[in-house]
């Protein structure tokens, strides 16, 4: 999907001012409200905008421990294990990967003891061979997309 300069300006506003109205976006951008709405609709339809939910902090919800758990799976059981992971509320993301292991998950926990309980739950899932855990010490780059959007915008303007 081609994203042009106006699309990137709209995306930037969405990222920087997510609670602003479409009417205000149009005023800021100097274009018609209908133009902004049509662009937003297309960006959603094309899968560029994937949601409008607020960002939540697991730490503020009482789960300050963040770990990445790599999971090795018995051949032929990747889908089964992936489905089972969806039933573990402390797993906030899971991806199939290449390299060492089959899956990597992002896990949050109340404390280290709770993290151990979650890992033990993962180890007991049918099809899980072993796990390897890495505990995050400090976030160095927060989840972000604005630099990517700006880079795409610069390329579209050239």
């Amino acid at each position: 999907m081609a994203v042009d300069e106006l699309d990137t300006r709209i995306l930037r506003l969405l990222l920087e001012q997510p609670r602003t109205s479409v009417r205000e976006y149009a005023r800021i951008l100097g274009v018609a409200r209908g133009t902004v709405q049509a662009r937003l609709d297309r960006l959603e339809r094309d899968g560029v905008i994937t949601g409008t939910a607020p960002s939540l902090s697991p730490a503020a919800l009482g789960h300050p421990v963040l770990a990445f758990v790599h999971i090795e799976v018995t051949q032929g059981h990747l889908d089964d294990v992936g489905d089972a992971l969806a039933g573990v509320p402390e797993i906030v993301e899971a991806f199939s990967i290449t390299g060492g292991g089959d899956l990597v998950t992002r896990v949050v926990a109340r404390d280290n003891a709770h993290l151990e309980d979650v890992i033990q739950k993962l180890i007991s899932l049918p099809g899980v061979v072993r796990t390897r855990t890495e505990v995050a010490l400090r976030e160095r780059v927060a989840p972000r997309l604005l630099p990517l959007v700006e880079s795409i915008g610069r390329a579209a303007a050239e």
Side-chain angles (χ1 to χ4, degrees):
M1 119 128 249
V3 175
D4 66 16
E5 186 178 3
L6 179 57
D7 291 334
T8 61
R9 291 173 58 209
I10 292 169
L11 292 172
R12 179 186 187 116
L13 283 173
L14 279 175
L15 292 169
E16 291 179 335
Q17 303 175 36
R19 293 179 165 223
T20 302
S21 69
V22 172
R23 181 182 308 252
E24 181 63 11
Y25 290 152
R27 187 193 67 72
I28 292 168
L29 295 169
V31 298
R33 188 203 61 76
T35 299
V36 174
Q37 188 62 61
R39 295 291 186 112
L40 289 170
D41 292 344
R42 181 179 51 79
L43 291 166
E44 283 186 40
R45 190 174 52 252
D46 291 347
V48 174
I49 299 172
T50 59
T52 57
S55 295
L56 303 178
S57 166
L61 291 169
H63 288 66
V65 176
L66 170 63
F68 299 92
V69 180
H70 300 256
I71 302 171
E72 187 177 322
V73 177
T74 304
Q75 278 192 314
H77 290 87
L78 187 61
D79 289 339
D80 297 332
V81 172
D83 292 344
L85 295 177
V88 181
E90 295 85 359
I91 294 179
V92 294
E93 288 184 296
F95 299 92
S96 302
I97 60 170
T98 63
D102 300 297
L103 296 162
V104 65
T105 63
R106 187 165 65 108
V107 177
V108 295
R110 293 184 302 273
D111 53 35
N112 287 346
H114 181 221
L115 177 60
E116 182 182 13
D117 293 342
V118 173
I119 294 166
Q120 291 303 317
K121 187 185 303 183
L122 297 178
I123 291 170
S124 71
L125 293 175
V128 172
V129 176
R130 74 178 48 86
T131 65
R132 180 175 54 87
T133 303
E134 299 163 342
V135 176
L137 300 176
R138 180 182 300 160
E139 183 177 73
R140 299 296 179 163
V141 177
R144 67 200 180 126
L145 289 173
L146 186 54
L148 177 63
V149 168
E150 290 174 337
S151 173
I152 292 168
R154 283 190 300 273
E158 294 176 352

